[in-house]
């Protein structure tokens, strides 16, 4: 079982560039999340989705955009990358978001220089 | 807004001993779910244990157990017979049940070191 797959695993961006972090899950989960984890810190929620066509902002949405056109995919778009967006990004999914385990991808380490 | 606080940035324990990690949370909801996740150096987040707020009985998973105090909004994790493989970051997390609160909120984590 693939679970939650994130691509790429590593990326270096120049200031002002844009990119899309891909996230796909094959568990038919309704809920999907994007988090960022800064060194020595916890996970901060960027955006989340409770189903296809529905997205909502988390704690730190500025500088990011998401879409959820299918149940399986939840891409995260970075526009005009800034050094403050250097972080490790995690995608996660869960069946309902209410009482079930969240499954995480292995993360994308992004450096903006 | 719901918040999760882990007041111990780092903890250490001797192999085979017991350690307790603390977590408090703030919410106005009466029904919610609490979790402990483990993040080893590989970065892969792994669910350790889950507690449903409407259940008074504390959850247990092998060597891992929780002390859930709903009135105090406290949710501590006890690791018994600590093993070297338990060394990791541990995150406490909360998810609500009401509209708009379904997001999974994490604390800042506690780094656990296990000494041989």
């Amino acid at each position: 079982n693939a679970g939650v797959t994130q691509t790429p695993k590593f990326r270096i961006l120049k200031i002002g560039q844009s990119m899309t972090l891909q996230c796909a899950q094959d568990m038919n989960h309704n809920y999907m999340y994007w988090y960022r984890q800064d060194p020595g810190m916890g996970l901060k929620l960027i955006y989340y989705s409770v189903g296809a066509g529905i997205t909502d902002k988390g704690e730190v949405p500025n500088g990011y955009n998401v879409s959820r056109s299918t149940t399986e995919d939840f891409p995260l778009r970075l526009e005009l990358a800034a050094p403050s967006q250097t972080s490790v990004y995690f995608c996660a999914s869960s069946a309902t978001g209410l009482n079930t385990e969240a499954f995480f991808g292995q993360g994308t380490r992004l450096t903006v220089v | 807004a719901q918040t999760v606080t882990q007041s111990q940035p780092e903890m250490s324990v001797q192999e085979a001993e017991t350690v307790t990690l603390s977590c408090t949370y703030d919410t106005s909801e009466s029904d919610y779910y609490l979790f402990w996740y483990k993040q080893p150096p590989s970065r892969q987040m792994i669910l350790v244990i889950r507690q449903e707020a409407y259940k008074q009985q504390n959850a247990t998973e092998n060597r891992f157990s929780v002390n859930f105090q709903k009135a105090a909004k406290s949710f501590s994790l006890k690791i018994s017979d600590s093993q070297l493989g338990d060394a990791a970051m541990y995150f406490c997390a909360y998810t609500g049940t009401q509209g708009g609160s379904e997001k999974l909120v994490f604390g800042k984590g506690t780094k656990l070191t296990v000494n041989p």
Side-chain angles (χ1 to χ4, degrees):
Chain A
N1 291 334
V4 178
T5 302
Q6 285 184 241
T7 55
K9 289 187 171 52
F10 303 92
R11 183 71 186 267
I12 298 175
L13 275 183
K14 293 184 178 180
I15 294 172
Q17 287 185 321
S18 299
M19 75 164 294
T20 299
L21 279 64
Q22 301 291 344
C23 177
Q25 51 92 7
D26 61 358
M27 297 171 282
N28 201 32
H29 285 171
N30 288 323
Y31 285 65
M32 295 188 76
Y33 309 84
W34 273 107
Y35 292 91
R36 60 176 288 172
Q37 185 179 28
D38 299 329
M41 300 294 287
L43 283 78
K44 293 185 178 180
L45 183 64
I46 304 171
Y47 272 95
Y48 70 107
S49 170
V50 302
I54 306 170
T55 62
D56 207 348
K57 295 179 180 179
E59 184 183 0
V60 289
N62 291 342
Y64 307 93
N65 278 300
V66 294
S67 60
R68 185 90 183 274
S69 57
T70 67
T71 299
E72 295 78 19
D73 301 301
F74 190 41
L76 177 72
R77 177 82 177 162
L78 279 72
E79 303 283 1
L80 299 174
S84 61
Q85 294 177 305
T86 294
S87 190
V88 179
Y89 291 83
F90 288 96
C91 178
S93 74
S94 66
T96 67
L98 300 182
N99 63 351
T100 55
E101 177 181 359
F103 292 83
F104 285 78
Q106 292 200 308
T108 297
R109 182 178 295 277
L110 176 68
T111 303
V112 182
V113 296
Chain B
Q2 294 81 11
T3 58
V4 177
T5 302
Q6 293 179 248
S7 59
Q8 306 154 317
E10 296 188 26
M11 292 283 286
S12 63
V13 63
Q14 291 296 126
E15 196 175 4
E17 296 293 311
T18 296
V19 64
T20 298
L21 308 183
S22 300
C23 173
T24 58
Y25 57 94
D26 187 24
T27 183
S28 59
E29 296 184 73
S30 60
D31 194 17
Y32 47 88
Y33 298 87
L34 297 163
F35 309 84
W36 278 98
Y37 280 87
K38 172 184 177 181
Q39 186 182 40
S42 66
R43 294 199 322 228
Q44 186 74 46
M45 297 284 282
I46 303 164
L47 178 66
V48 174
I49 201 165
R50 175 180 63 222
Q51 175 77 43
E52 299 162 0
Y54 65 87
K55 288 187 176 180
Q56 293 189 344
Q57 186 174 5
N58 290 325
T60 300
E61 288 288 341
N62 300 315
R63 298 182 294 107
F64 299 87
S65 61
V66 297
N67 183 6
F68 173 50
Q69 302 289 329
K70 191 172 184 179
K73 296 181 181 176
S74 171
F75 183 60
S76 60
L77 174 70
K78 185 172 81 171
I79 306 174
S80 304
D81 186 25
S82 296
Q83 300 176 359
L84 294 177
D86 295 333
M89 284 289 291
Y90 286 83
F91 293 96
C92 180
Y94 165 103
T95 189
T97 59
Q98 296 178 6
S101 71
E102 309 96 329
K103 48 187 177 290
L104 190 58
V105 178
F106 285 85
K108 291 186 176 181
T110 297
K111 182 179 180 181
L112 179 65
T113 300
V114 181
N115 300 311

Short mmCIF file of all heavy atoms in Angstrom, two decimals, chain A residues 28-77:
data_model
loop_
_atom_site.label_atom_id
_atom_site.label_comp_id
_atom_site.label_asym_id
_atom_site.label_seq_id
_atom_site.Cartn_x
_atom_site.Cartn_y
_atom_site.Cartn_z
N ASN A 28 -8.65 6.56 -0.12
CA ASN A 28 -10.00 7.10 -0.26
C ASN A 28 -10.39 7.95 0.96
O ASN A 28 -11.56 7.97 1.37
CB ASN A 28 -11.04 5.99 -0.49
CG ASN A 28 -12.31 6.52 -1.13
OD1 ASN A 28 -12.28 7.47 -1.91
ND2 ASN A 28 -13.44 5.93 -0.78
N HIS A 29 -9.41 8.64 1.52
CA HIS A 29 -9.68 9.48 2.68
C HIS A 29 -10.30 10.81 2.26
O HIS A 29 -9.90 11.41 1.27
CB HIS A 29 -8.37 9.76 3.44
CG HIS A 29 -7.90 8.59 4.22
ND1 HIS A 29 -6.65 8.56 4.83
CD2 HIS A 29 -8.49 7.41 4.52
CE1 HIS A 29 -6.51 7.42 5.47
NE2 HIS A 29 -7.61 6.70 5.30
N ASN A 30 -11.26 11.27 3.06
CA ASN A 30 -11.88 12.55 2.77
C ASN A 30 -11.01 13.72 3.23
O ASN A 30 -10.94 14.75 2.59
CB ASN A 30 -13.25 12.65 3.45
CG ASN A 30 -14.28 11.78 2.76
OD1 ASN A 30 -14.27 11.64 1.54
ND2 ASN A 30 -15.16 11.18 3.53
N TYR A 31 -10.37 13.57 4.39
CA TYR A 31 -9.65 14.68 4.98
C TYR A 31 -8.19 14.65 4.55
O TYR A 31 -7.53 13.61 4.61
CB TYR A 31 -9.70 14.61 6.52
CG TYR A 31 -11.02 15.02 7.11
CD1 TYR A 31 -12.17 14.30 6.87
CD2 TYR A 31 -11.10 16.15 7.90
CE1 TYR A 31 -13.38 14.68 7.40
CE2 TYR A 31 -12.31 16.54 8.46
CZ TYR A 31 -13.44 15.81 8.21
OH TYR A 31 -14.65 16.18 8.74
N MET A 32 -7.70 15.81 4.15
CA MET A 32 -6.27 15.95 3.83
C MET A 32 -5.75 17.26 4.40
O MET A 32 -6.51 18.23 4.56
CB MET A 32 -6.04 15.88 2.31
CG MET A 32 -6.40 14.51 1.72
SD MET A 32 -5.93 14.31 0.00
CE MET A 32 -4.15 14.07 0.16
N TYR A 33 -4.47 17.26 4.75
CA TYR A 33 -3.86 18.38 5.45
C TYR A 33 -2.49 18.68 4.86
O TYR A 33 -1.79 17.78 4.40
CB TYR A 33 -3.65 18.04 6.93
CG TYR A 33 -4.84 17.50 7.68
CD1 TYR A 33 -5.16 16.14 7.64
CD2 TYR A 33 -5.62 18.33 8.45
CE1 TYR A 33 -6.23 15.63 8.34
CE2 TYR A 33 -6.71 17.84 9.17
CZ TYR A 33 -7.01 16.49 9.11
OH TYR A 33 -8.07 16.00 9.82
N TRP A 34 -2.11 19.94 4.95
CA TRP A 34 -0.73 20.35 4.71
C TRP A 34 -0.20 21.04 5.96
O TRP A 34 -0.82 21.96 6.49
CB TRP A 34 -0.62 21.30 3.53
CG TRP A 34 -0.49 20.62 2.21
CD1 TRP A 34 -1.42 20.51 1.23
CD2 TRP A 34 0.68 19.95 1.71
NE1 TRP A 34 -0.92 19.81 0.16
CE2 TRP A 34 0.36 19.46 0.43
CE3 TRP A 34 1.96 19.71 2.23
CZ2 TRP A 34 1.28 18.75 -0.35
CZ3 TRP A 34 2.86 19.01 1.46
CH2 TRP A 34 2.53 18.54 0.18
N TYR A 35 0.98 20.57 6.41
CA TYR A 35 1.65 21.17 7.55
C TYR A 35 3.05 21.59 7.13
O TYR A 35 3.65 21.03 6.23
CB TYR A 35 1.80 20.16 8.69
CG TYR A 35 0.50 19.74 9.34
CD1 TYR A 35 -0.19 18.63 8.87
CD2 TYR A 35 0.00 20.44 10.42
CE1 TYR A 35 -1.38 18.25 9.47
CE2 TYR A 35 -1.19 20.05 11.02
CZ TYR A 35 -1.87 18.96 10.53
OH TYR A 35 -3.04 18.57 11.13
N ARG A 36 3.59 22.55 7.88
CA ARG A 36 5.00 22.84 7.78
C ARG A 36 5.63 22.66 9.16
O ARG A 36 5.00 22.91 10.19
CB ARG A 36 5.26 24.26 7.25
CG ARG A 36 4.70 25.37 8.06
CD ARG A 36 5.10 26.74 7.49
NE ARG A 36 6.51 27.04 7.73
CZ ARG A 36 7.15 28.08 7.20
NH1 ARG A 36 6.50 28.92 6.40
NH2 ARG A 36 8.41 28.30 7.46
N GLN A 37 6.86 22.19 9.14
CA GLN A 37 7.59 21.97 10.39
C GLN A 37 8.92 22.67 10.30
O GLN A 37 9.81 22.26 9.55
CB GLN A 37 7.79 20.47 10.65
CG GLN A 37 8.45 20.19 11.99
CD GLN A 37 8.62 18.70 12.25
OE1 GLN A 37 8.75 17.91 11.33
NE2 GLN A 37 8.61 18.31 13.52
N ASP A 38 9.08 23.73 11.08
CA ASP A 38 10.33 24.46 11.13
C ASP A 38 11.26 23.78 12.13
O ASP A 38 10.79 23.08 13.05
CB ASP A 38 10.06 25.91 11.51
CG ASP A 38 9.18 26.61 10.47
OD1 ASP A 38 9.27 26.22 9.28
OD2 ASP A 38 8.39 27.47 10.84
N PRO A 39 12.56 23.96 12.02
CA PRO A 39 13.52 23.26 12.89
C PRO A 39 13.19 23.42 14.37
O PRO A 39 13.01 24.54 14.85
CB PRO A 39 14.85 23.93 12.53
CG PRO A 39 14.67 24.41 11.13
CD PRO A 39 13.24 24.83 11.02
N GLY A 40 13.10 22.29 15.07
CA GLY A 40 12.84 22.32 16.50
C GLY A 40 11.44 22.72 16.89
O GLY A 40 11.16 22.93 18.07
N MET A 41 10.56 22.80 15.91
CA MET A 41 9.20 23.26 16.20
C MET A 41 8.20 22.17 15.86
O MET A 41 8.51 21.16 15.24
CB MET A 41 8.89 24.51 15.36
CG MET A 41 9.81 25.67 15.63
SD MET A 41 9.63 26.31 17.30
CE MET A 41 8.05 27.14 17.13
N GLY A 42 6.98 22.41 16.27
CA GLY A 42 5.90 21.48 15.96
C GLY A 42 5.38 21.70 14.56
O GLY A 42 5.97 22.42 13.75
N LEU A 43 4.26 21.08 14.29
CA LEU A 43 3.66 21.18 12.96
C LEU A 43 2.61 22.29 12.96
O LEU A 43 1.73 22.32 13.82
CB LEU A 43 2.99 19.86 12.57
CG LEU A 43 3.93 18.75 12.13
CD1 LEU A 43 4.61 18.10 13.30
CD2 LEU A 43 3.18 17.71 11.31
N LYS A 44 2.73 23.16 12.00
CA LYS A 44 1.75 24.24 11.85
C LYS A 44 0.89 23.95 10.63
O LYS A 44 1.42 23.67 9.54
CB LYS A 44 2.45 25.59 11.72
CG LYS A 44 3.17 26.02 13.00
CD LYS A 44 3.74 27.41 12.86
CE LYS A 44 4.42 27.84 14.16
NZ LYS A 44 5.00 29.20 14.06
N LEU A 45 -0.41 24.06 10.80
CA LEU A 45 -1.34 23.74 9.74
C LEU A 45 -1.40 24.88 8.73
O LEU A 45 -1.66 26.03 9.09
CB LEU A 45 -2.73 23.47 10.33
CG LEU A 45 -3.81 23.04 9.36
CD1 LEU A 45 -3.47 21.69 8.72
CD2 LEU A 45 -5.16 22.96 10.07
N ILE A 46 -1.21 24.55 7.46
CA ILE A 46 -1.24 25.55 6.40
C ILE A 46 -2.65 25.62 5.80
O ILE A 46 -3.28 26.66 5.79
CB ILE A 46 -0.22 25.21 5.29
CG1 ILE A 46 1.18 25.06 5.88
CG2 ILE A 46 -0.22 26.30 4.21
CD1 ILE A 46 2.20 24.52 4.88
N TYR A 47 -3.11 24.50 5.28
CA TYR A 47 -4.44 24.36 4.72
C TYR A 47 -4.94 22.95 5.00
O TYR A 47 -4.14 22.04 5.23
CB TYR A 47 -4.42 24.56 3.20
CG TYR A 47 -4.58 25.97 2.72
CD1 TYR A 47 -3.47 26.76 2.43
CD2 TYR A 47 -5.84 26.53 2.54
CE1 TYR A 47 -3.61 28.06 1.99
CE2 TYR A 47 -6.00 27.85 2.09
CZ TYR A 47 -4.87 28.59 1.82
OH TYR A 47 -5.02 29.89 1.37
N TYR A 48 -6.26 22.81 4.97
CA TYR A 48 -6.81 21.48 5.05
C TYR A 48 -8.06 21.38 4.18
O TYR A 48 -8.60 22.40 3.73
CB TYR A 48 -7.12 21.07 6.50
CG TYR A 48 -8.26 21.80 7.16
CD1 TYR A 48 -9.47 21.16 7.38
CD2 TYR A 48 -8.11 23.10 7.61
CE1 TYR A 48 -10.51 21.81 8.02
CE2 TYR A 48 -9.14 23.76 8.24
CZ TYR A 48 -10.34 23.11 8.45
OH TYR A 48 -11.37 23.77 9.08
N SER A 49 -8.48 20.15 3.94
CA SER A 49 -9.64 19.90 3.09
C SER A 49 -10.46 18.75 3.69
O SER A 49 -9.89 17.74 4.11
CB SER A 49 -9.17 19.52 1.68
OG SER A 49 -10.25 19.04 0.91
N VAL A 50 -11.77 18.93 3.72
CA VAL A 50 -12.64 17.89 4.27
C VAL A 50 -13.29 17.06 3.16
O VAL A 50 -14.11 16.18 3.44
CB VAL A 50 -13.71 18.47 5.21
CG1 VAL A 50 -13.03 19.22 6.36
CG2 VAL A 50 -14.64 19.40 4.46
N GLY A 51 -12.95 17.37 1.92
CA GLY A 51 -13.46 16.60 0.80
C GLY A 51 -13.16 17.31 -0.50
O GLY A 51 -12.76 18.49 -0.50
N ALA A 52 -13.37 16.61 -1.59
CA ALA A 52 -13.10 17.20 -2.91
C ALA A 52 -13.92 18.48 -3.09
O ALA A 52 -15.11 18.52 -2.78
CB ALA A 52 -13.43 16.19 -4.00
N GLY A 53 -13.23 19.52 -3.55
CA GLY A 53 -13.88 20.80 -3.79
C GLY A 53 -13.98 21.71 -2.58
O GLY A 53 -14.45 22.85 -2.69
N ILE A 54 -13.51 21.23 -1.42
CA ILE A 54 -13.63 22.01 -0.19
C ILE A 54 -12.24 22.19 0.44
O ILE A 54 -11.57 21.19 0.73
CB ILE A 54 -14.54 21.32 0.83
CG1 ILE A 54 -15.91 21.01 0.22
CG2 ILE A 54 -14.69 22.18 2.09
CD1 ILE A 54 -16.77 20.12 1.08
N THR A 55 -11.83 23.42 0.63
CA THR A 55 -10.57 23.69 1.30
C THR A 55 -10.77 24.82 2.31
O THR A 55 -11.69 25.62 2.17
CB THR A 55 -9.45 24.08 0.32
OG1 THR A 55 -9.81 25.29 -0.35
CG2 THR A 55 -9.21 22.98 -0.71
N ASP A 56 -9.89 24.86 3.30
CA ASP A 56 -9.99 25.91 4.31
C ASP A 56 -8.61 26.21 4.84
O ASP A 56 -7.71 25.37 4.82
CB ASP A 56 -10.91 25.49 5.44
CG ASP A 56 -11.56 26.69 6.12
OD1 ASP A 56 -11.12 27.83 5.86
OD2 ASP A 56 -12.49 26.49 6.91
N LYS A 57 -8.46 27.45 5.31
CA LYS A 57 -7.17 27.91 5.81
C LYS A 57 -6.89 27.33 7.18
O LYS A 57 -7.79 27.15 7.99
CB LYS A 57 -7.15 29.44 5.87
CG LYS A 57 -7.25 30.11 4.52
CD LYS A 57 -7.26 31.62 4.67
CE LYS A 57 -7.37 32.30 3.31
NZ LYS A 57 -7.40 33.77 3.43
N GLY A 58 -5.61 27.10 7.41
CA GLY A 58 -5.15 26.72 8.73
C GLY A 58 -4.53 27.90 9.44
O GLY A 58 -4.94 29.04 9.26
N GLU A 59 -3.49 27.62 10.19
CA GLU A 59 -2.84 28.64 11.02
C GLU A 59 -1.94 29.58 10.23
O GLU A 59 -1.84 30.76 10.53
CB GLU A 59 -2.03 27.92 12.10
CG GLU A 59 -1.37 28.82 13.12
CD GLU A 59 -0.53 28.02 14.10
OE1 GLU A 59 -0.47 26.77 13.98
OE2 GLU A 59 0.09 28.63 14.99
N VAL A 60 -1.27 29.06 9.18
CA VAL A 60 -0.26 29.84 8.45
C VAL A 60 -0.46 29.74 6.94
O VAL A 60 0.39 29.21 6.23
CB VAL A 60 1.17 29.40 8.85
CG1 VAL A 60 1.51 29.84 10.26
CG2 VAL A 60 1.33 27.88 8.72
N PRO A 61 -1.57 30.26 6.40
CA PRO A 61 -1.85 30.07 4.98
C PRO A 61 -1.18 31.05 4.03
O PRO A 61 -1.13 30.81 2.82
CB PRO A 61 -3.37 30.26 4.93
CG PRO A 61 -3.63 31.27 6.01
CD PRO A 61 -2.64 30.93 7.11
N ASN A 62 -0.66 32.16 4.56
CA ASN A 62 -0.15 33.21 3.69
C ASN A 62 1.04 32.73 2.86
O ASN A 62 1.98 32.14 3.39
CB ASN A 62 0.26 34.44 4.50
CG ASN A 62 -0.95 35.12 5.11
OD1 ASN A 62 -2.08 34.91 4.68
ND2 ASN A 62 -0.71 35.92 6.13
N GLY A 63 0.97 32.99 1.56
CA GLY A 63 2.03 32.59 0.66
C GLY A 63 1.80 31.24 0.01
O GLY A 63 2.63 30.78 -0.78
N TYR A 64 0.67 30.62 0.34
CA TYR A 64 0.36 29.28 -0.18
C TYR A 64 -1.05 29.25 -0.75
O TYR A 64 -1.91 30.04 -0.36
CB TYR A 64 0.43 28.23 0.94
CG TYR A 64 1.71 28.21 1.73
CD1 TYR A 64 1.83 28.94 2.92
CD2 TYR A 64 2.80 27.46 1.29
CE1 TYR A 64 3.00 28.93 3.64
CE2 TYR A 64 3.98 27.45 2.03
CZ TYR A 64 4.07 28.18 3.20
OH TYR A 64 5.24 28.17 3.92
N ASN A 65 -1.25 28.31 -1.67
CA ASN A 65 -2.58 28.03 -2.18
C ASN A 65 -2.75 26.53 -2.36
O ASN A 65 -1.76 25.81 -2.58
CB ASN A 65 -2.81 28.72 -3.53
CG ASN A 65 -3.21 30.17 -3.35
OD1 ASN A 65 -4.22 30.47 -2.71
ND2 ASN A 65 -2.41 31.08 -3.89
N VAL A 66 -3.99 26.08 -2.27
CA VAL A 66 -4.26 24.66 -2.45
C VAL A 66 -5.49 24.50 -3.34
O VAL A 66 -6.26 25.44 -3.56
CB VAL A 66 -4.53 23.93 -1.12
CG1 VAL A 66 -3.29 23.90 -0.25
CG2 VAL A 66 -5.70 24.56 -0.38
N SER A 67 -5.66 23.30 -3.82
CA SER A 67 -6.86 22.91 -4.55
C SER A 67 -7.15 21.46 -4.24
O SER A 67 -6.25 20.70 -3.86
CB SER A 67 -6.67 23.12 -6.06
OG SER A 67 -5.60 22.32 -6.53
N ARG A 68 -8.38 21.07 -4.38
CA ARG A 68 -8.76 19.68 -4.13
C ARG A 68 -9.82 19.29 -5.16
O ARG A 68 -11.01 19.25 -4.89
CB ARG A 68 -9.33 19.53 -2.70
CG ARG A 68 -9.63 18.09 -2.31
CD ARG A 68 -8.47 17.40 -1.67
NE ARG A 68 -8.74 16.01 -1.36
CZ ARG A 68 -9.32 15.57 -0.24
NH1 ARG A 68 -9.73 16.45 0.67
NH2 ARG A 68 -9.49 14.30 -0.04
N SER A 69 -9.34 18.99 -6.34
CA SER A 69 -10.26 18.65 -7.43
C SER A 69 -10.66 17.18 -7.39
O SER A 69 -11.71 16.79 -7.92
CB SER A 69 -9.66 18.99 -8.79
OG SER A 69 -8.41 18.32 -8.93
N THR A 70 -9.86 16.35 -6.74
CA THR A 70 -10.18 14.93 -6.60
C THR A 70 -9.98 14.52 -5.15
O THR A 70 -9.32 15.21 -4.38
CB THR A 70 -9.29 14.04 -7.49
OG1 THR A 70 -7.94 14.12 -7.00
CG2 THR A 70 -9.34 14.48 -8.94
N THR A 71 -10.55 13.39 -4.78
CA THR A 71 -10.34 12.87 -3.42
C THR A 71 -8.88 12.53 -3.18
O THR A 71 -8.36 12.70 -2.09
CB THR A 71 -11.21 11.62 -3.21
OG1 THR A 71 -12.58 11.98 -3.35
CG2 THR A 71 -11.00 11.03 -1.81
N GLU A 72 -8.20 12.06 -4.24
CA GLU A 72 -6.84 11.53 -4.06
C GLU A 72 -5.76 12.59 -3.93
O GLU A 72 -4.76 12.38 -3.26
CB GLU A 72 -6.49 10.63 -5.26
CG GLU A 72 -7.33 9.37 -5.37
CD GLU A 72 -8.71 9.63 -5.96
OE1 GLU A 72 -8.92 10.69 -6.60
OE2 GLU A 72 -9.61 8.78 -5.74
N ASP A 73 -5.93 13.73 -4.59
CA ASP A 73 -4.82 14.68 -4.72
C ASP A 73 -5.09 15.99 -3.98
O ASP A 73 -6.20 16.53 -4.01
CB ASP A 73 -4.57 14.97 -6.20
CG ASP A 73 -4.22 13.72 -6.98
OD1 ASP A 73 -3.22 13.08 -6.60
OD2 ASP A 73 -4.95 13.38 -7.93
N PHE A 74 -4.02 16.52 -3.39
CA PHE A 74 -4.14 17.77 -2.64
C PHE A 74 -2.83 18.54 -2.80
O PHE A 74 -1.98 18.59 -1.90
CB PHE A 74 -4.42 17.47 -1.17
CG PHE A 74 -4.80 18.65 -0.33
CD1 PHE A 74 -5.66 19.62 -0.80
CD2 PHE A 74 -4.32 18.78 0.97
CE1 PHE A 74 -6.04 20.69 -0.02
CE2 PHE A 74 -4.68 19.86 1.77
CZ PHE A 74 -5.54 20.81 1.28
N PRO A 75 -2.61 19.17 -3.94
CA PRO A 75 -1.36 19.89 -4.17
C PRO A 75 -1.29 21.22 -3.42
O PRO A 75 -2.30 21.89 -3.23
CB PRO A 75 -1.37 20.10 -5.69
CG PRO A 75 -2.82 20.11 -6.06
CD PRO A 75 -3.49 19.16 -5.12
N LEU A 76 -0.07 21.57 -3.04
CA LEU A 76 0.20 22.83 -2.34
C LEU A 76 1.06 23.70 -3.25
O LEU A 76 2.15 23.29 -3.66
CB LEU A 76 0.93 22.57 -1.02
CG LEU A 76 1.34 23.80 -0.22
CD1 LEU A 76 0.11 24.47 0.39
CD2 LEU A 76 2.34 23.42 0.87
N ARG A 77 0.59 24.89 -3.53
CA ARG A 77 1.29 25.79 -4.43
C ARG A 77 1.96 26.91 -3.64
O ARG A 77 1.33 27.54 -2.79
CB ARG A 77 0.28 26.39 -5.41
CG ARG A 77 0.84 27.41 -6.39
CD ARG A 77 1.48 26.75 -7.56
NE ARG A 77 1.96 27.74 -8.54
CZ ARG A 77 2.85 27.46 -9.48
NH1 ARG A 77 3.37 26.23 -9.58
NH2 ARG A 77 3.24 28.39 -10.32
#
